Amino acid sequence: MRIGILGSGLMGGKLGTLFVRAGHEVVFSYARSEQKLKRLAHDAQGNARAGTPTEAARESDVLLLAVHWSRVDDVLKQAGDLAGKVIVSCSLPMNAANTELVIAHTSSGAEALAKKVPKARVVSAFNTVPSEVLVGVFGARRKAARPSLVYCGDESRSKGIAADLIRDAGFDPVDAGPLRIARYTEPFALLVAQLAYEGKGGPNLAYRFERLQK
Ligand SMILES: NC(=O)c1ccc[n+]([C@@H]2O[C@H](COP(=O)([O-])OP(=O)(O)OC[C@H]3O[C@@H](n4cnc5c(N)ncnc54)[C@H](OP(=O)(O)O)[C@@H]3O)[C@@H](O)[C@H]2O)c1
């Protein structure tokens, strides 16, 4: 796939690198310095380059949205026309202090995002794991028991693409249902973050759902 990274920080930088290693073509965009984007593209050691959000959007079929909630409008404006694009969003609708969700219960960040870009296809994914686990999970991707990763969205084709990327990153994709289910997955992401950063497990924490046999 041709993947544009909108937000090349902890999540976007790492996931973009893993997507390159999994054989995809990646454009890293949106960081405070172009040098950083070039370094990420160089270090990914594959089919990767640095670009602007406009280039990332124009040259890709799939976009990973990985910016703080306060930067979403800006990066979308810079990306330009997103009609028909699949947007896999790991952005959570956090306040500036990152202490609470600014959208919850009756809606979700994913649904608010879908309203901002009505012609794009939004899938919510990758936001229920700490960035610290990504490289380790990818490294262990050939093991049978992979960590789970929930995702949700309204359209089967874009969900299939997200599921492929989740598998490529080393996780077992768990389809949580339509995009409105992000109302439950986004608070769940905060639980995982709480356990990872303030619990005893430390940041290298991933979860696994087991289906118990009857
Ligand atoms: N980190 C996690 O473990 C985690 C887990 C689950 C969900 N999430 C969600 O994923 C999203 C991204 O999180 P993150 O931790 O990856 O954030 P981050 O490391 O801060 O990355 C955000 C990216 O946006 C860029 N950026 C910020 N302001 C900018 C500006 N004014 N102009 C250009 N670029 C700018 C940053 O540039 P620089 O690279 O130059 O700083 C960085 O590349 C957030 O919505 C977060 O809630 C994160």
Side-chain angles (χ1 to χ4, degrees):
M1 293 181 216
R2 295 184 305 173
I3 303 169
I5 306 293
L6 300 176
S8 299
L10 289 172
M11 293 300 279
K14 283 186 185 149
L15 281 170
T17 300
L18 301 186
F19 295 154
V20 173
R21 301 217 167 126
H24 299 292
E25 188 181 329
V26 167
V27 178
F28 289 97
S29 81
Y30 206 73
R32 273 168 277 233
S33 92
E34 201 190 337
Q35 274 315 103
K36 180 186 176 178
L37 298 173
K38 285 185 173 162
R39 197 180 64 240
L40 276 170
H42 174 266
D43 291 351
Q45 296 177 350
N47 204 340
R49 75 175 192 89
T52 63
T54 317
E55 288 164 345
R58 196 177 54 219
E59 294 169 20
S60 308
D61 320 298
V62 183
L63 292 158
L64 178 79
L65 180 68
V67 294
H68 189 270
W69 191 246
S70 59
R71 306 306 312 171
V72 167
D73 287 338
D74 184 53
V75 78
L76 291 179
K77 190 170 163 216
Q78 289 194 39
D81 183 13
L82 296 175
K85 305 283 181 188
V86 174
I87 302 180
V88 177
S89 175
C90 66
S91 291
L92 293 166
M94 302 302 292
N95 64 1
N98 276 325
T99 51
E100 56 189 59
L101 294 166
V102 294
I103 305 173
H105 306 305
T106 55
S107 188
S108 60
E111 289 165 278
L113 172 66
K115 284 187 187 143
K116 290 176 192 285
V117 281
K119 292 185 179 159
R121 296 158 185 156
V122 175
V123 181
S124 174
F126 291 111
N127 50 18
T128 52
V129 288
S131 65
E132 286 87 346
V133 306
L134 295 171
V135 172
V137 169
F138 181 76
R141 66 194 178 282
R142 299 198 211 292
K143 287 193 179 158
R146 298 163 145 221
S148 307
L149 203 140
V150 288
Y151 67 106
C152 59
D154 285 335
E155 200 238 351
S156 60
R157 191 184 144 266
S158 46
K159 285 180 78 170
I161 288 169
D164 285 346
L165 291 177
I166 290 168
R167 258 182 230 104
D168 288 346
F171 293 89
D172 185 15
V174 176
D175 183 353
L179 201 62
R180 65 180 167 75
I181 300 302
R183 295 171 196 187
Y184 312 137
T185 61
E186 288 173 2
F188 173 68
L190 267 62
L191 167 69
V192 174
Q194 166 72 20
L195 292 170
Y197 300 115
E198 290 175 42
K200 289 182 185 157
N204 289 310
L205 181 87
Y207 58 91
R208 175 157 181 81
F209 294 132
E210 298 282 0
R211 204 172 288 279
L212 299 179
Q213 303 298 322
K214 280 183 187 159

